[in-house]
Amino acid sequence: MTRFLLLLGSIALFHPLTLAQDAATPPKNADNIYKSVVRIEVATQVADYRTPWNSGRFGGGTGSGFLIGPNRFLTNAHVVSDAHRILITKRGSAQKHPARVIHVAHDCDLAILEVEDSVPFEKLEYLELGGVPALESQVRVIGYPVGGDRISVTRGVVSRIDFRPYSHSRVDSHLVVQIDAAINPGNSGGPVLQDGKVVGVAFQGLRQADNTGYMIPTPVINRFLKDVGDGNYDKYVDLGITEFPLFNPAMRKALNVPENGLGVMIASVMPTGPCDGLMEPGDVLISIDGSPIDNAGNIEVQSEKVVLHEAVERKFAGDKVKLEFLRSGEKKDLTITLKAFPHSRIYAVRYGERPRFIFFAGLVFQPLDFNLYSAHQFKSPRVRKIFQNYVRDAIFKDREDVVVLTRVESDHLTSFITGFNGTVLDEINGTKVKNLQQAYDLLYAENHPEFITLKCNGIDRPIVIPSAEVEAANKRIMQTNGIFRSYNLGDSRPAAK
Amino acid sequence: MKRPFLSLLSCTLGFLATAPHSLAIDAKGLLRVNTTIQTYSISQPWELTPPKRRRGLGAVLESGKILTTAEMAANSTYIEFESADGTHTVPATVIAIDYETNLALLGPEEGANADWILKLGTLKTNGPVGIGDEVDIWQLEDNGDAVRTVGTVRSVDLLSTFASGHYFLSYEVKASMQSATSSYTLPITLNGNLLGILTSYNSKDQISDVVAPEIVKIFLDDVKDGNYEGFPSLGIATVLTEDSNFRKWLGLKDEQGGLYVSRVLPGSGADESGLKKGDVILTVDGHPIDRRGYYKDESYGRLFWSHLVRGSRKVGERLSLVILREGKEQTLKAVLRRPPPKLIPSHMYDKAPPFLIKGGLVFQELTRSYLEAFGKEWQSRAPLNLLDALNNPEDYEEGRDRLVFLSRVIRTPATIGYDRVANLIVTEANGQKVTDMNSLVTALKDPKDGLHSIRIDDIPYVLYLDPQLSDSVDKTLLERGLPSLQRLP
């Protein structure tokens, strides 16, 4: 990955700083602003998807945050992800105030925290949100980055405004503002200011380039704040389409697209997405909510070219979007209702979850998601293909969870079960596996035949386990291998045993 | 992995000064085989890669023909024989080549003066030897002297030494050999008779792999009638039955062995015999097969069962199998055949890969070699869709003889916007199903509604080309130095 998370920092102490100044002196209310920027110290516990029954790795880091309302601190999601203890310190104070996460949005890397005792923070100013800063205008980044203990301020100019990937979840792209001020580990979650107003939250940098910091601009922040207004974070919504640029004249001719520079081809429509059944591959999208779409798939927003997906960025589930498209040259109008699309989250990094798994007779089964995929580095082209095409081919319709056999623990019962590691479990006793809960129910069913047979994808012979030996094998292997629980099925059933 | 003998070649010069110490030994039937090998570029299949030279030894047989390895002759653009002292040379041709067993029979080019070859003396072929027997490995010094190294047959195993996935009987000979010229492959003799051909030498373990005399014999017998057929195959994939739970489930008794049949290739001898997936093979030609797939060979002890099929029989011969099906024993008779053609061939030795260029789109037929060119980690680095086709050809076989794919896009005026499209499987062209390269060529003669359309297996799913523009682009490509726009199988 080209981006890095700005989390780990050093311990900061709070003393007034003598600020380096350029032509402008710090704004009059600078000191009040500094006071509202806090240091966030986090103790984390990161799940280990290779040994899902274990506690995972304990660690920690620091970041920044700022007060935006009564006992409401805004910071990055990545600062507080996987946290089991959060402490907030005020500038110029040695006291660490326990805090908790109220809302976290991993898809746009933002979170809201509150402190348990808000009294010490009551006199502080709430920072006000501004607009999107203009290109070349100057901004200040405030926070507690590495390289010292006290509050740090850096200045820079806005060098680019773009639609870019957010590295925290790995799969989401939103508006970002690139600045040339140094953003370093620990800056994350701190405010970026212009004219005394917050114009962004510092959140990521670029490893292979100097002087490129990125901040989350206020349109993204405002959307997040609006989304959580009802007490719940409902996540971003998606059009559920993939487009292919119409640069090729023969392709435009084939699709009956007039030579006016407008229109992008729909290459695929996500099954069960908002456009499913309404649009089809080969349709040519020419406008979205009245904004014309060019051959590259861009629309113009405030005289800047952005990808057409930007048009639904500020929208919520249930909102409507007007689309205009050509099918075989014929113009069609369509209004779609946006909805969340949870299945695509299989490709997103997950945080703060205990890994789900089943232990059965020396075999460990886990549902496929990005965390599992990256932890086990699956080699089998079969698993990789199922993962890659999970959404495109609507595999989720038959398999809410793709259950993978991830480990075969050593035991005389399993000594010849070789070559099965990292394969997808297709069937248990002839029944197709749909999700982890159902797999658990099938494996631990009351009345088993003499042999339990497990069919794994792409393996020509079944795994055969004599039912009579399961209980003793479980006890024996769990004891020897330090596996102290036999399953975690997630929310529907508490982890036990 | 064992390395070919190449490593010794590279240090030849360093040994030159000390080499002539040994007394000259009168060696008969040895000559040098010098070959130039060129393969086709994977990414630009219209051109050959830079030539590589190999120098090995050949054994002169009584017929006057020369036996060497297939690896020496495969993809060769030029072969010549050279006498030990370098006084005579003659261009050579391939009479028969077997990539699976790694054997090749060569002869001097017709009409060329090759009388000197027979004057070198000839080698009779030898019968098998036992484990522990001593054999002679022959090398030639730069000055033409022969060097004999005595080695011991340490073990016998089925090895795949050239074309991947084909396992044949080989001797593993322990001997400490020196570096010498022309050592890419070497003849092995016993009592002055040819025993086998060395295919690789591992200088660390000092172990050489040698094609066994049984295999050499079948190869030479097959060549005799002028129509080389190759080694037979049963056409099945099997799984071992070591797992006791799996055995219980299959109903196998403890004293039984058994090989679980996991796949039967359509059109194979096994398929015709009625063998089915799920059967358990208990005996092959009366030899009981154990749970790890071994049988007891009279000469060599325990050998993997496939030797009974591939290394002991000829195409057209019958094999009897006792199988366990649904708890009952049954006897099947299978006629051995050459393996049926594959959707995705494992190699394309000595064949120029078919390709087609249309407007800058480059189409090829998929081979395993194409995927292997993605490097050592090709199993994880090669395109996933193509890997899947290689691993699960049965999912792609219907209506196809070969898997045609769009390997790359040359940036031309006709391919604007297609720059990033690569390695996608082609399903249809101009509404016609693409079953092999020829069918694609035919389909692209007939554009529909003034456009070519090519359907592929991933985004953007269809590519369009303007026929006039792509034809003129093709003409430009020829002017730019492409030798041709297509090569058909």
Side-chain angles (χ1 to χ4, degrees):
Chain A
M1 291 302 293
T2 52
R3 273 150 226 97
F4 61 92
L5 300 179
L6 312 178
L7 179 59
L8 297 169
S10 61
I11 294 161
L13 292 170
F14 303 95
H15 293 285
L17 281 174
T18 313
L19 291 167
Q21 297 171 9
D22 57 16
T25 51
K28 288 208 177 70
N29 62 349
D31 208 49
N32 287 341
I33 287 175
Y34 296 161
K35 275 184 185 158
S36 301
V37 180
V38 297
R39 183 170 177 276
I40 301 168
E41 194 183 319
V42 179
T44 57
Q45 180 184 359
V46 180
D48 179 5
Y49 280 74
R50 294 186 67 90
T51 53
W53 49 88
N54 282 344
S55 62
R57 205 173 61 248
F58 289 97
T62 64
S64 309
F66 55 99
L67 201 58
I68 53 161
N71 199 8
R72 284 293 178 270
F73 297 87
L74 189 65
T75 186
N76 284 136
H78 76 252
V79 170
V80 294
S81 291
D82 293 318
H84 63 91
R85 189 197 69 184
I86 301 170
L87 300 172
I88 287 182
T89 36
K90 253 186 355 177
R91 183 173 178 229
S93 155
Q95 213 183 334
K96 294 177 192 291
H97 304 275
R100 57 180 164 254
V101 176
I102 302 299
H103 297 290
V104 62
H106 295 296
D107 56 0
C108 62
D109 201 359
L110 290 169
I112 292 173
L113 314 182
E114 66 173 14
V115 285
E116 284 172 13
D117 174 15
S118 63
V119 177
F121 296 88
E122 266 164 8
K123 297 261 165 61
L124 300 182
E125 207 173 283
Y126 307 140
L127 299 190
E128 202 182 320
L129 296 183
V132 177
L135 269 177
E136 272 197 76
S137 66
Q138 204 175 65
V139 294
R140 291 185 298 153
V141 182
I142 304 178
Y144 291 92
V146 290
D149 297 331
R150 299 179 183 179
I151 199 163
S152 146
V153 183
T154 50
R155 274 171 196 265
V157 297
V158 172
S159 31
R160 180 150 48 185
I161 301 169
D162 205 351
F163 198 77
R164 297 283 302 164
Y166 278 35
S167 64
H168 176 58
S169 71
R170 212 190 67 98
V171 293
D172 297 282
S173 287
H174 307 293
L175 198 64
V176 297
V177 171
Q178 183 190 324
I179 52 181
D180 71 352
I183 291 184
N184 287 309
N187 263 127
S188 283
V192 180
L193 293 138
Q194 188 173 61
D195 302 330
K197 284 185 179 173
V198 174
V199 291
V201 174
F203 84 122
Q204 61 190 22
L206 207 56
R207 196 173 271 161
Q208 80 274 37
D210 291 332
N211 299 329
T212 45
Y214 292 97
M215 65 178 208
I216 302 172
T218 47
V220 179
I221 302 170
N222 283 323
R223 188 207 177 275
F224 168 64
L225 296 175
K226 192 175 166 194
D227 191 326
V228 300
D230 61 356
N232 264 322
Y233 183 62
D234 300 317
K235 303 197 177 82
Y236 274 78
V237 285
D238 193 78
L239 286 169
I241 50 173
T242 315
E243 58 287 353
F244 187 83
L246 273 182
F247 296 135
N248 193 285
M251 198 171 232
R252 290 197 293 267
K253 189 180 163 200
L255 300 172
N256 284 304
V257 183
E259 290 291 321
N260 56 6
L262 293 184
V264 71
M265 186 181 87
I266 300 303
S268 72
V269 180
M270 252 182 222
T272 77
C275 296
D276 189 20
L278 301 168
M279 294 188 74
E280 51 194 53
D283 287 348
V284 176
L285 200 55
I286 50 176
S287 84
I288 179 162
D289 276 347
S291 303
I293 298 168
D294 68 15
N295 288 154
N298 290 328
I299 54 172
E300 203 170 286
V301 175
Q302 289 157 6
S303 68
E304 291 279 349
K305 284 275 182 193
V306 290
V307 291
L308 68 95
H309 294 273
E310 174 73 6
V312 296
E313 277 283 292
R314 317 285 159 253
K315 295 192 182 269
F316 298 91
D319 285 358
K320 303 225 184 292
V321 175
K322 280 192 180 137
L323 301 174
E324 240 182 325
F325 66 94
L326 300 174
R327 180 173 294 169
S328 314
E330 200 183 313
K331 200 160 156 183
K332 293 187 183 278
D333 287 296
L334 177 67
T335 303
I336 58 160
T337 306
L338 294 170
K339 56 182 175 183
F341 190 68
H343 299 296
S344 64
R345 302 315 290 176
I346 190 173
Y347 303 118
V349 186
R350 306 175 95 92
Y351 295 96
E353 289 175 21
R354 306 282 302 140
R356 294 185 292 149
F357 74 98
I358 302 169
F359 178 85
F360 176 80
L363 311 174
V364 180
F365 298 99
Q366 293 178 265
L368 186 61
D369 59 25
F370 178 77
N371 292 27
L372 190 77
Y373 193 83
S374 63
H376 286 276
Q377 304 273 318
F378 292 120
K379 288 260 173 359
S380 146
R382 291 258 184 174
V383 180
R384 286 161 55 209
K385 189 186 170 201
I386 289 175
F387 186 63
Q388 186 175 300
N389 299 339
Y390 182 73
V391 169
R392 187 193 85 176
D393 294 350
I395 294 171
F396 55 82
K397 283 185 178 168
D398 296 326
R399 297 168 182 260
E400 187 193 339
D401 290 322
V402 175
V403 177
V404 185
L405 171 56
T406 54
R407 292 173 70 109
V408 179
E409 304 294 339
S410 299
D411 185 71
H412 80 84
L413 195 66
T414 60
S415 51
F416 288 105
I417 303 181
T418 45
F420 287 88
N421 258 5
T423 60
V424 172
L425 179 62
D426 276 347
E427 290 174 16
I428 300 169
N429 290 334
T431 306
K432 288 209 159 62
V433 173
K434 292 191 176 77
N435 58 51
L436 198 70
Q437 175 75 56
Q438 174 236 17
Y440 178 86
D441 294 341
L442 288 170
L443 289 171
Y444 283 103
E446 292 286 318
N447 301 312
H448 265 310
E450 186 188 354
F451 295 106
I452 299 162
T453 55
L454 309 175
K455 201 182 162 308
C456 291
N457 194 279
I459 305 273
D460 291 322
R461 72 132 168 133
I463 296 177
V464 179
I465 308 272
S467 320
E469 293 186 37
V470 171
E471 205 180 325
N474 270 0
K475 210 173 154 189
R476 183 173 67 234
I477 302 168
M478 287 176 74
Q479 173 128 40
T480 356
N481 295 17
I483 301 167
F484 56 91
R485 64 178 70 179
S486 65
Y487 63 87
N488 171 23
L489 302 174
D491 298 330
S492 54
R493 194 187 288 213
K497 284 195 186 171
Chain B
M1 284 306 294
K2 286 169 185 169
R3 282 203 188 152
F5 225 47
L6 212 58
S7 57
L8 289 187
L9 258 183
S10 58
C11 22
T12 302
L13 283 178
F15 280 81
L16 278 181
T18 55
H21 284 299
S22 57
L23 282 172
I25 303 166
D26 183 32
K28 59 174 186 176
L30 283 189
L31 51 63
R32 298 184 203 270
V33 180
N34 306 328
T35 62
T36 304
I37 287 168
Q38 270 185 291
T39 52
Y40 283 88
S41 160
I42 291 290
S43 59
Q44 311 210 128
W46 48 89
E47 55 193 32
L48 285 164
T49 54
K52 279 184 277 184
R53 294 203 163 74
R54 279 182 189 160
R55 304 186 71 197
L57 299 189
V60 185
L61 305 177
E62 285 178 297
S63 59
K65 309 221 167 81
I66 282 70
L67 184 71
T68 186
T69 57
E71 206 171 356
M72 281 291 294
N75 296 320
S76 58
T77 47
Y78 180 68
I79 311 179
E80 86 183 355
F81 297 142
E82 184 190 338
S83 61
D85 57 5
T87 41
H88 305 282
T89 58
V90 64
T93 54
V94 175
I95 297 162
I97 183 164
D98 191 289
Y99 311 105
E100 299 172 358
T101 55
N102 201 1
L103 289 173
L105 193 68
L106 313 178
E109 211 169 76
E110 224 177 287
N113 182 6
D115 298 343
W116 58 272
I117 293 179
L118 284 171
K119 289 178 189 153
L120 299 172
T122 59
L123 290 167
K124 278 190 183 131
T125 50
N126 214 331
V129 296
I131 290 167
D133 287 358
E134 286 192 340
V135 296
D136 296 330
I137 304 170
W138 291 96
Q139 290 174 284
L140 285 178
E141 295 282 14
D142 203 48
N143 63 8
D145 285 349
V147 180
R148 182 176 66 116
T149 307
V150 178
T152 314
V153 178
R154 276 268 300 263
S155 61
V156 171
D157 200 356
L158 303 194
L159 300 177
S160 170
T161 61
F162 187 39
S164 62
H166 297 279
Y167 293 82
F168 287 92
L169 192 70
S170 301
Y171 289 170
E172 295 195 319
V173 176
K174 174 92 172 175
S176 168
M177 275 189 287
Q178 65 162 342
S179 173
T181 54
S182 307
S183 289
Y184 198 87
T185 184
L186 303 169
I188 314 288
T189 64
L190 178 74
N191 304 328
N193 293 334
L194 181 71
L195 194 70
I197 294 284
L198 180 145
T199 54
S200 72
Y201 174 65
N202 182 327
S203 58
K204 205 171 141 215
D205 301 343
Q206 302 184 335
I207 293 280
S208 305
D209 298 331
V210 178
V211 181
E214 290 89 334
I215 306 299
V216 173
K217 185 174 186 308
I218 298 175
F219 172 71
L220 293 176
D221 285 352
D222 193 344
V223 179
K224 272 180 194 157
D225 64 356
N227 173 28
Y228 186 70
E229 278 192 285
F231 283 72
S233 143
L234 190 54
I236 57 171
T238 58
V239 169
L240 310 184
T241 59
E242 296 162 294
D243 184 346
S244 58
N245 299 320
F246 182 48
R247 294 178 60 80
K248 280 182 212 155
W249 180 73
L250 289 169
L252 285 166
K253 297 187 195 84
D254 271 356
E255 67 276 13
Q256 282 176 313
L259 263 181
Y260 179 77
V261 178
S262 57
R263 216 174 283 185
V264 178
L265 284 184
S268 64
D271 189 22
E272 287 170 21
S273 78
L275 196 67
K276 287 192 174 64
K277 181 186 167 164
D279 290 346
V280 180
I281 299 176
L282 299 174
T283 73
V284 177
D285 269 351
H287 297 277
I289 309 295
D290 74 12
R291 54 181 77 184
R292 289 190 170 172
Y294 292 93
Y295 76 98
K296 194 167 180 318
D297 186 86
E298 283 157 21
S299 330
Y300 300 117
R302 302 213 80 82
L303 277 185
F304 200 60
W305 74 281
S306 71
H307 179 62
L308 289 171
V309 178
R310 302 217 67 189
S312 319
R313 297 310 196 90
K314 289 178 189 159
V315 170
E317 289 183 354
R318 280 166 161 287
L319 195 75
S320 89
L321 301 167
V322 176
I323 60 156
L324 187 72
R325 181 181 290 170
E326 287 158 8
K328 282 183 198 131
E329 286 189 16
Q330 259 178 275
T331 304
L332 300 178
K333 298 263 183 227
V335 178
L336 298 177
R337 308 231 179 272
R338 285 289 299 150
K342 282 182 176 174
L343 177 71
I344 299 162
S346 61
H347 57 77
M348 288 290 281
Y349 300 123
D350 295 313
K351 282 192 198 117
F355 73 89
L356 170 70
I357 296 172
K358 194 75 189 172
L361 305 182
V362 182
F363 301 95
Q364 295 194 57
E365 288 182 352
L366 186 62
T367 60
R368 186 189 172 94
S369 321
Y370 181 85
L371 297 171
E372 284 172 349
F374 281 83
K376 212 174 145 197
E377 301 279 306
W378 66 275
Q379 299 261 24
S380 48
R381 288 180 58 196
L384 192 52
N385 56 337
L386 301 183
L387 269 180
D388 187 62
L390 177 73
N391 293 329
N392 310 293
E394 60 279 5
D395 296 350
Y396 298 82
E397 259 158 9
E398 208 182 306
R400 276 198 180 100
D401 299 319
R402 286 280 184 271
L403 194 83
V404 177
F405 70 109
L406 173 63
S407 65
R408 60 177 293 190
V409 173
I410 302 173
R411 295 170 188 209
T412 69
T415 58
I416 293 171
Y418 302 161
D419 301 357
R420 287 168 174 219
V421 178
N423 293 319
L424 298 181
I425 296 169
V426 177
T427 53
E428 270 176 35
N430 292 331
Q432 295 174 45
K433 183 117 176 94
V434 173
T435 57
D436 59 6
M437 192 58 81
N438 281 317
S439 69
L440 177 64
V441 171
T442 312
L444 287 178
K445 285 186 180 137
D446 187 19
K448 296 271 186 295
D449 305 322
L451 284 174
H452 288 303
S453 70
I454 295 134
R455 199 163 272 281
I456 43 185
D457 72 331
D458 207 339
I459 288 171
Y461 296 104
V462 193
L463 293 175
Y464 298 94
L465 287 178
D466 182 275
Q468 282 80 38
L469 181 61
S470 53
D471 286 351
S472 80
V473 160
D474 288 345
K475 234 172 97 190
T476 321
L477 288 173
L478 288 174
E479 283 160 16
R480 283 183 175 277
L482 251 66
S484 71
L485 297 167
Q486 64 181 53
R487 184 192 296 129
L488 296 182

